Each structure stands twice: as C-alpha cells, then as structure tokens.
Amino acid sequence: MCIDAIGHLEKLGSELERRRFAVRVRAREGHATLNVTNVAAPALAESVFTAPDEEGDLWFWFPWQTPIGPVADITAAADRIERVLAEVGRPRPLTAASGGQPVGEVTDAAVEHA
C-alpha cells in the first residue's frame, strides 16, 4: 500500500512543482506523505496523504481529515491544494471551465474561503 501511495503522491508532487510549489515525498513506518510548500510564502505549507474514502476509493487527504480528491484526478487535487496554499495575489489555477485561463487572482477574502 505504501508503494502505491508513494506513486500517487509523486504524480501529485510533479503537478504541484509545475505550479511553483516545493514538494517532498516522505515515507516512514508504512505511511507516505507529500509535504507541499508555497515557495513564494513558505509559511503556507501542508502535508497530504492517501487513504480510502467511504466507498473504498483511494483519495488524497489533508491531515485534518478533509478530502482533497480522488488519486485518479491529479489536476483537480492540485487545484484544491493550490487554492488552500495560495498567497495573496497568486493567479488562480487554470481550469477547463475557464477555457484554460486564470480565474482572477487570490484575494484576502478568497483565502479565507479556500
């Protein structure tokens, strides 16, 4: 299970690196986590891990037991993590719904609601 988790976390990490985050996969005592840091605002950092949801599907999770998204959807998971760890003024993630264009910038109000 840890080997599968590492693979999923590495894929997510690659996507987050492309978005200018620093990442590090850590594995110890049979558990793997992805440490994610916003390089523009290093105080904005979090760990991510994988675990099954209620139906048994593997998802990415924040440590406070909040689901991020299924491991099968790396882009959506990276979008959510980017919103949570975004510094004020950071362009929003490009999304299919926006035609591949950023949807505004992150503001103080947007950060409070991430």
Side-chain angles (χ1 to χ4, degrees):
M1 178 86 164
C2 186
I3 292 172
D4 289 342
I6 290 170
H8 294 300
L9 293 169
E10 286 175 340
K11 288 178 187 175
L12 178 59
S14 293
E15 176 63 22
L16 290 167
E17 282 180 321
R18 191 180 68 74
R19 299 174 186 217
R20 300 179 322 260
F21 287 90
V23 299
R24 180 177 177 203
V25 175
R26 299 183 66 167
R28 57 180 127 137
E29 299 177 11
H31 299 284
T33 59
L34 176 68
N35 297 332
V36 183
T37 304
N38 181 330
V39 296
L44 299 172
E46 196 53 77
S47 296
V48 174
F49 66 95
T50 62
D53 66 1
E54 292 178 358
E55 286 85 40
D57 297 321
L58 199 58
W59 277 52
F60 295 111
W61 294 80
F62 287 115
W64 58 88
Q65 300 300 312
T66 298
I68 298 169
V71 299
D73 193 348
I74 297 292
T75 302
D79 287 348
R80 178 125 193 238
I81 293 165
E82 185 172 9
R83 280 192 308 272
V84 169
L85 298 180
E87 74 279 6
V88 173
R90 181 184 189 94
R92 295 214 183 224
L94 304 179
T95 64
S98 69
Q101 298 298 313
V103 185
E105 290 185 345
V106 176
T107 64
D108 289 326
V111 172
E112 291 173 10
H113 299 295

